[in-house]
Structure formats: structure tokens, C-alpha cells
Amino acid sequence: MMTQIIPVNESRICNFTKITENCQLFRYINGYDNKAITKLEEDFPLAFGIRLYNSPEQVEQILRIIYRPHNFYCIHVDTGSDIHIFNSLKAVARCFENVVVLSKIRTLYSSIRLVEADLLCMKEALKSTIQWKYFLNMAGEEVPLKTNLKMVQICRLLQGRNEIESEPAPPFAIRRMKWVYNLTEFEMIKTKVLKMPFTLNVRLRKGCAYGTFARKFVHFVFKNDIANDLFEFLKDTYAPEEVFFNTLNSVDGAPGGYNVTITNANRDFLSRSIKWQWDRHFKCPGKFRRNICVFNNKALPWLVKQPEMIVNKMDGDYDQVVIDCMEEYLHNKTLQAGVNGFNKTRYLQYPHIKDLHKKNKKNLWDKI
């Protein structure tokens, strides 16, 4: 599918270069330094990688929602984006020692370049002196549903396991890998060339491109030969971002991995709240884009009750109110950290957490 570069009206882009000249004032006005932070959070730093093509204002808003001085943040701006978007976010990053902004890849929907952009941010995270425990990849049109503290509490329940949607690749996903696709700057072109058979002794799995990855698993992605071979096999296929991490998670010896089926449809995938157009049990309070619900403010009463960590998707150009309300809601929740406890019961019923609890019930509860 052809990806069109949309000219950016510079007047619509917030002049971050100007307003970040005084970093102390910028941080104060935008509330970066007024977060209530617990020792639990300080002892359990997280890393975030955010991919975006446009909407630098929305990404800055996401950053200020999830920002904590002890975490690590990497933002990858598509090289096909307007240069003012990169410069704007680069100006923001200048005010923080733990925020990195890159622009190295022209990402393309359903191509290996999405994986490459995530890997770039993972590399930056590993180079950081911050000893983060989990890496969460995000898109520019996603918004957290949980405070940083709640995310930490959920990640601690994982006990070093990944949180990746994964199921055996269905026939339609296997068919996508039957033919070679050529990548140009703007599109993927299906050829009539059959791919060589997948020869690794690994069963391909499919799932969401976004997840929560344990630090040891991120190391594994870069150092394991199977990971490299799988990447090479997938790089000229359609939608490899829905196969790469999902398959590696099931490889024998993969840190934090498992073969349990975890799916959004079964409501046991914690990293994302995402609603597809073919979900018969859900009516989208918004509109669909690429078969995914773009939520508006009518969804707020439903969203705040969901157990997942992040919602996909929200678009400020469509409805800024829903994002602003989520920001205020999460800010208030942060202030109430000592008032409202963490209800573990629901999370301990998820299959990839439940078996950990069964194996060593006392030890698990002692560590929470």
C-alpha cells in the first residue's frame, strides 16, 4: 500500500525549540518534575521506545505522562517525517538526560522496518547506564492506561517473564510469508518469487507488535543466532512485526519466554487494550482506522476500568479531549498512590502469571 508523505504546516507544530530554551521552566510548566514517585518505582526502572511519524505534540504529551527521572526513553522519528517534527522532539530531549531522539529509518506499515526501529531503541536502552527491568515499545498514537507505579507493579508480577501476545501462526499469517516482498521507500511490492522454506526448528507464532520485554530477553534478541536467522527470514515478508518478537518468545532458552497462548481476543494480553473491527462483543466509541478502534472521550468510563497498561489508539487530531482527560486521570491516580492499593487478584489469573504463582506461591507473594 502506498504511503503518502503529508506536508506539515509548520504553524501547527508547537515551537518546542523556542519553549525549551529554558529547560527548567519547560519542565515545570509541563509537570515533568511534580510527580509523586515511590521507592518501589525507583528500584524498578522501566525503558520505553516510542515510534512516530507525525504529531510531535501528542508524543510530548505521552512523554510527560510516563516520564520519571529514573526511567529511560527513546523516541524514533520516521525519516519520512517533516524535519520540524524531529527538531521539535530533539529540542525536548535536550532538557532531559534520560531521553534520546533518533531518526534513522523510513518505517513502512507492515514491514521489517518497524522491527528495525524498535531494535534501534532497544540498543539505546541497553547502552544507557539506567538498569531498567523491562522495555515497553509504543506507537505515537498510544496512551498509557496505568500510572508508572501500576506498570511497575504489573511488571513485578511477571517475575522476569515477557508480556507478549502470542499464538501459533494461523494459515493467513503463514501465507503472508510464502512470497517475497520488495521494499521501496514508500511501499511493499508483492513479487511472484516464492520464499525459501523456513528451516529453523522453531514454530512461527503471531501476535501484537507491541509488548513488554524483560531486559534479559532484549539481550537475547541481539545475541542469539536464532534471532538473527529469524530476522533474515522475515525481512522480505508481510507484517513481520507481528511475528518476530512473538516467535522468539517461544524459543527454547529465551529469557522470560513461554509457549502459552496469550491473545487480545482472550482478554489475557496485558500490554495493550486494542479493539479490532471484527470484535463482535465491542462497539467502538469512536471510529475505525486500519480496522482498529480510535477511541474518543465517550470511551473514558470504559477505558479507566481496563486492566491493560496501554491503549491503542488515540489521535489528538480526532479527539484531544480523551487524551487530556487520561492525562489528568493518571496524574490524580499518581497523587493517590498511597490511598488506592494494587489489586493483584485479577492479574494473578492470567495464564503466564498464574503458573508462576502455582510454582512458588510463597516466594511470589513475598516479592510483590
Side-chain angles (χ1 to χ4, degrees), residues 255-275:
Y258 48 82
N259 276 300
V260 180
T261 292
I262 303 295
T263 67
N264 176 69
N266 291 341
R267 296 304 308 274
D268 50 19
F269 176 45
L270 280 169
S271 293
R272 284 301 179 282
S273 180
I274 180 170
K275 291 302 176 183

Side-chain angles (χ1 to χ4, degrees), residues 33 47 53 58 83 175 192 233 253 267 270 276-277 291:
D33 298 322
Y53 177 74
Q58 182 168 333
I83 188 62
R175 287 194 296 271
K192 295 181 179 180
F233 173 79
R267 296 304 308 274
L270 280 169
W276 295 91
Q277 193 161 1
N291 297 317

Side-chain angles (χ1 to χ4, degrees), residues 268-318:
D268 50 19
F269 176 45
L270 280 169
S271 293
R272 284 301 179 282
S273 180
I274 180 170
K275 291 302 176 183
W276 295 91
Q277 193 161 1
W278 44 80
D279 187 342
R280 298 178 181 178
H281 304 290
F282 179 82
K283 185 176 180 181
C284 176
K287 65 178 182 179
F288 286 102
R289 182 186 302 162
R290 286 176 174 164
N291 297 317
I292 296 175
C293 180
V294 183
F295 294 95
N296 62 24
N297 62 83
K298 293 180 181 179
L300 283 165
W302 180 84
L303 286 168
V304 297
K305 296 177 182 178
Q306 301 313 298
E308 294 86 5
M309 291 190 279
I310 296 168
V311 61
N312 183 316
K313 54 180 91 216
M314 292 180 183
D315 182 355
D317 287 338
Y318 168 57

Side-chain angles (χ1 to χ4, degrees), residues 198-204 226 229-230 247 250-252:
F198 185 65
T199 57
L200 293 176
N201 187 26
V202 176
R203 188 175 183 183
L204 294 171
I226 293 177
D229 292 343
L230 180 63
T247 298
S250 69
V251 170
D252 288 342

